[in-house]
Amino acid sequence: MKNIMFSALVVLVSANAFSQTEKKDKDREAIKNMCGCYEVTFNFAETFNYANDSLYKPSKTKVDKGLEWAQLVTDEDNKISIQHLLQVGNPNEPYIVKHWRQDWLFENTDLYKFNANNEWTYQQLDPAEVKGQWTQKVYQVDDSPRYEGSATWVHVDGKSYWENTTPAPLPRREYTTRSDYNLTMRGNRQEITDYGWLHEQDNAKIIRERGKEDFVLAKEKGYNTYVKVDDSRCAGAAKWWKENQEKWAMVRAKWDEVYGRNTDLQLENKVDNKVLFKYLLDEEAYNEKDKIDEIIEAFVK
């Protein structure tokens, strides 16, 4: 009887391990399906406001379109990194804009949670809390932090999606025009679709002040579609990345060293009246490791 029970237990454990491996493979496939060339449409509309000011003016509805190349940078068992590049202008002589980057880490326990005013609070999670989950870490164009959160990829009824709510800085379309709130609580949903993938957002615009409860100023809906097109249309962006990837590997390595300190992080808005991405996007002055390390460190308080 003991032998039978032991054999049954071995079979059960083996089946569970196989199931977990199969699930992880599906997760990795879904994440990597976000790579390639896409026609992107960004849609944002403010839905409700809770302002105490009767003269409050909501943000205008925003609709933008573009061609975006999502380049697979890292493909490891527990880490997948995707760099996004915008390609604009004449297809024969396109202009390339380094856009955001997303890293996916399996069962990651180290998070940097945005806390307004260019501050991120380091948070270490219990391994049991993130078992089977993937952290999506989203970075600015200069690879400085933006937002991150951990959740489980779901594969059900023919759908594959991941969703999480986490605090984030204001998006670029807002922080250049708005100063009446200082934090976005981002409800993110990434779903793989038959046309490509969908990034759906349900966001809250929040005023955060020390010693006070967060005040929700307004809410916003985002609906961003990534429609897959032939990779040849993004040949210019792919070429740009091939020519510039070594520099940005050095930038990522420096940031990895900063993040690896595992402590709260506060960044300067400007150094010598200049934001970080304007330094790093200078291909001639900042293409050596020493200069890259020096300028990034100058922004770390």
Side-chain angles (χ1 to χ4, degrees):
M1 178 62 73
K2 288 184 178 179
N3 287 339
I4 293 174
M5 291 180 66
F6 178 75
S7 298
L9 180 61
V10 169
V11 170
L12 182 62
V13 170
S14 298
N16 185 54
F18 177 78
S19 177
Q20 290 177 350
T21 300
E22 189 177 40
K23 166 66 168 57
K24 185 178 177 183
D25 288 343
K26 285 185 177 180
D27 296 347
R28 285 175 42 80
E29 180 183 7
I31 294 168
K32 290 168 67 175
N33 277 342
M34 288 189 277
C35 296
C37 187
Y38 296 91
E39 288 183 344
V40 187
T41 302
F42 303 101
N43 295 276
F44 291 94
E46 198 165 296
T47 53
F48 305 100
N49 83 73
Y50 309 96
N52 296 320
D53 184 355
S54 61
L55 299 179
Y56 172 83
K57 291 185 178 181
S59 298
K60 294 181 179 179
T61 297
K62 184 81 170 178
V63 179
D64 278 328
K65 295 179 181 291
L67 190 65
E68 186 151 306
W69 175 246
Q71 170 73 48
L72 182 64
V73 176
T74 303
D75 183 11
E76 299 172 356
D77 189 45
N78 292 327
K79 179 180 179 180
I80 298 171
S81 181
I82 304 172
Q83 175 63 58
H84 292 252
L85 303 168
L86 286 172
Q87 181 175 304
V88 297
N90 185 340
N92 295 321
E93 296 182 1
Y95 181 71
I96 310 303
V97 180
K98 184 178 181 292
H99 207 193
W100 61 296
R101 185 179 109 237
Q102 54 175 328
D103 285 358
W104 293 86
L105 304 180
F106 186 66
E107 295 184 345
N108 166 66
T109 57
D110 300 310
L111 288 181
Y112 281 90
K113 286 294 186 77
F114 182 67
N115 193 34
N117 305 318
N118 233 23
E119 298 178 4
W120 286 260
T121 301
Y122 173 71
Q123 181 180 13
Q124 189 170 46
L125 304 178
D126 189 306
E129 187 178 349
V130 297
K131 186 173 178 58
Q133 293 188 353
W134 289 84
T135 296
Q136 184 201 38
K137 293 177 176 273
V138 173
Y139 302 90
Q140 310 270 22
V141 298
D142 50 26
D143 290 323
S144 60
R146 188 154 178 74
Y147 63 87
E148 50 194 72
S150 182
T152 303
W153 272 92
V154 177
H155 311 284
V156 64
D157 295 337
K159 294 182 179 180
S160 292
Y161 64 88
W162 178 97
E163 54 187 10
N164 172 264
T165 299
T166 194
L170 274 63
R172 186 176 301 278
R173 60 190 156 77
E174 288 279 273
Y175 77 67
T176 55
T177 59
R178 299 284 294 267
S179 59
D180 54 347
Y181 73 102
N182 60 351
L183 184 145
T184 302
M185 189 63 69
R186 294 180 65 118
N188 291 303
R189 177 186 172 102
Q190 273 81 17
E191 181 177 343
I192 307 305
T193 66
D194 57 357
Y195 59 77
W197 59 285
L198 166 69
H199 183 194
E200 189 172 3
Q201 300 173 47
D202 289 285
N203 302 327
K205 300 178 179 182
I206 291 175
I207 300 172
R208 176 169 291 182
E209 298 179 90
R210 296 187 190 279
K212 297 183 180 180
E213 287 190 16
D214 286 354
F215 178 75
V216 178
L217 180 67
K219 291 191 175 181
E220 173 190 70
K221 183 70 178 181
Y223 197 85
N224 304 334
T225 57
Y226 290 73
V227 179
K228 189 77 170 67
V229 296
D230 194 277
D231 285 354
S232 62
R233 291 187 56 188
C234 290
K239 179 176 180 290
W240 185 94
W241 181 252
K242 187 175 182 179
E243 294 171 348
N244 292 276
Q245 60 182 331
E246 290 185 9
K247 169 185 175 169
W248 291 101
M250 290 188 286
V251 174
R252 293 194 306 275
K254 176 57 183 177
W255 277 118
D256 285 346
E257 186 266 314
V258 172
Y259 301 140
R261 297 169 189 172
N262 292 345
T263 186
D264 294 350
L265 179 62
Q266 185 175 10
L267 300 178
E268 300 281 2
N269 288 313
K270 294 181 178 181
V271 169
D272 293 333
N273 204 34
K274 195 173 179 180
V275 295
L276 178 58
F277 76 84
K278 289 196 173 181
Y279 284 103
L280 291 180
L281 292 178
D282 185 337
E283 298 296 340
E284 294 183 3
Y286 290 89
N287 58 6
E288 297 177 0
K289 183 180 185 303
D290 290 346
K291 290 186 176 180
I292 289 170
D293 289 356
E294 182 181 7
I295 193 58
I296 291 176
E297 199 64 54
F299 276 83
V300 178
K301 289 188 177 182

